[in-house]
Amino acid sequence: MTHQPLVKIYLYSKFERFWHWVQSALIILLLVTGFEVHGSFAWLGFMAAVDLHNTIGLTWLILFVFIVFWLFVTGEYKQYIPTTRKLLEVVRYYASGIFRGEPHPVRKSRVAKHNPMQRLTYLGLTAVLLPVQMATGLLYWSYNDWPAWGLDGFLSLKVLALVHLIGGFAILIFLIVHVYMTTTGHTVTAHIAAMFSGWEEVPEGEEVEDWERMSERR
Amino acid sequence: MDCLVCHEQTGTYRKFPSGAGYPAPYVEDPANPGTQKGVPFPGESKSYFAPDWSRVAQSVARPSRMNCGTCHFYGGGGDAVKHGDLDSTMGRPPKTLDVHMGTRESGGQDFTCVRCHTTHSHHIAGRIYETPAAAERKSLLQDDLGDKILCESCHGTEPHQSGGMSDKINDHTDTVSCQACHIPEFARAQSTKMWWDWSKAGQLMDGKEVVMGPDGKSVFDRKKGEFRWEKNVVPEYYWFDGTLDHVTVADPIDPTAEVWLNRPQGSADDPNSRIMPFKVHRAMAPYDKVNKVMVIPHLFPFNKDDDTAYWKGYDWNRAIEVGMEKAGQPYSGEYGFVETTYVFPTTHMVAPKNEALPCEACHSRQSRLAGITEVYMPGRDTFAMVDAAGWVGVTGAMVAVIIHGLMRFVSGLRRKEE
Ligand code: HEM
């Protein structure tokens, strides 16, 4: 791969690593139990799947509140502010450069953890897909209270389930691509190891370009 | 009204020959003075005896299950013919057959019928025909003289309190009847009649007038046609508000489809309707081809020489003519057979709680509730297009990353060689 010497930088804080791994475990369990509830396969049994799905769904909602709180308190949300600069380069890199051993066009750094493609995907995920999944899930869960809340007039369980199902598929597809992308570091396990230790190895001496910096931006 | 059917307890009070009319008269046997000779019924070899009136009269008590069963277990002319959930096995059932009427020894509650069918001046609660739908699911504590008895009368609407998924089960009680989950199958102790083909009557089967099936019940009878009996039957499910709508001889029918002689009333939009299990008895029955109405054939001979009766003359046309005339209805003279259905709500034979329906019985692609299309049910319902697109997307993503990975691997090897 790259012949440049590597340096270690501290990318992911403890809380960030914690929520990343807990959230991934919860999402995988939600996928498994959700698709069992949907009838795609039979494993735990419908009752256990419903029970687990609801418990994990609610747990995750609580965790998510903390995550969003952390993102704003630390200002890390700015990591997700979308940009199109170098987006094409990144796309081109994954489509061809990567096979020729070219270096990644955007270096990871403390102040710019995500490349432009990641920013867009993660923003879409955290700001749209996951919240939609949570909102539809929460409404699904409270189905029996709709009449009391006056929601039964305009909400239909069928439509709600449809949106929740489409969200489920989208998250599953994201997960497959996401897991694969983590293997594209300088070694197959580099990115994954970084998410455990917090330390990522990046090529030495590359400057972070101004537009990438997040903390200086106001 | 005959008081003794309901109040005597000897079990010897029999009417002849079909449980209706009067008991046999006392006829002394000239050969053995003091004993009965017995009265034969025309066309039958069996003799009928008069009851021991003094024993019967002295036994009078509150009605037992057998008293009510005298009529209700044998409806339609035989044991388990009509109801799939009321037959002679309910006289002394084990708890596994009925948790309420089950004997004490087997762990049941030994309820009599009137424990649930509360009476008030001989007005027995639980009528389906005339009383309007239960507008409220009241507890007996609130109204113990109501016309409607319901499971909720004793158990309330939230009977599941043992933790776990109990809340989710309670969530169902506003759409799914208690019976739907608690009576997974009916006719669990003996088979019940599910099919009756009148069009086969009048002929012989394998040269015989009566053919018995494997469980000792007739599957063919020259007088009545062909029958099918089934045990452990899975009910059919319909919305039900507690009332049934009936077709009478005066109502026009559509002979090109199944004719529902009675039909559960209720709908998904009605908050008082529930999804209820039914025994659906199907039959081929005679109808008037021109007037398009069901007909009443004259079956039972009025006297020895009455061969207009179907069971004597085996001539449908004459039997229908006489039967319709007696009923004061017109008959065109042309009859045919049409498939009919008759429904019986299933309410008795509540199984022990650990045999209640598992979720998958309803929440799976093979759902029992396939016919209940008005509600969305996870696990049963899906969106074929979304499922197809979704799995194509998932497979596509897998294939794409595998190809991408392989290309990285191969190009990496090639670069090493250079
Ligand atoms: C990664 C996130 C999630 C995924 C992939 C997911 C997936 C699914 C799927 C595929 C179904 C079956 C839908 C159907 O066939 O009708 C389902 C059902 C359901 N989901 Fe989710 N879901 C997620 C999050 C949530 C959350 C946060 C909640 C909120 C508590 C929730 C609540 C529900 C409920 C209530 C049902 C109906 C079955 C039940 O009661 O468990 N889901 N989910």
Side-chain angles (χ1 to χ4, degrees), chain A residues 26-28 30-39 46 49-58 60-61 130 133-142 157 161-162 164-165 167-169 171-172, chain B residues 168 365 376-379 381-383:
Chain A
L26 295 183
I27 288 180
I28 289 168
L30 282 169
L31 280 167
V32 172
T33 52
F35 278 102
E36 173 153 14
V37 168
H38 181 60
F46 187 84
V50 166
D51 201 3
L52 252 182
H53 193 79
N54 294 358
T55 314
I56 297 170
L58 296 175
W60 182 44
L61 286 184
L130 297 187
Q133 200 65 359
M134 290 174 180
T136 50
L138 202 60
L139 282 170
Y140 207 145
W141 181 70
S142 54
L157 188 59
L162 174 66
H164 198 67
L165 178 66
F169 274 118
I171 291 173
L172 180 55
Chain B
K168 189 47 51 190
R365 305 279 189 259
Y376 176 83
M377 289 171 60
D381 297 330
T382 180
F383 309 87

Side-chain angles (χ1 to χ4, degrees), chain B residues 169-180:
Chain B
I169 299 175
N170 287 337
D171 282 347
H172 283 74
T173 57
D174 60 347
T175 28
V176 182
S177 66
C178 316
Q179 290 91 333

Side-chain angles (χ1 to χ4, degrees), chain A residues 34-81:
Chain A
F35 278 102
E36 173 153 14
V37 168
H38 181 60
S40 303
F41 57 88
W43 177 43
L44 301 163
F46 187 84
M47 193 196 293
V50 166
D51 201 3
L52 252 182
H53 193 79
N54 294 358
T55 314
I56 297 170
L58 296 175
T59 313
W60 182 44
L61 286 184
I62 297 167
L63 175 71
F64 200 76
V65 171
F66 282 100
I67 296 172
V68 172
F69 181 72
W70 177 87
L71 282 173
F72 280 91
V73 167
T74 58
E76 287 286 304
Y77 72 91
K78 291 176 194 145
Q79 301 271 13
Y80 298 92
I81 292 174

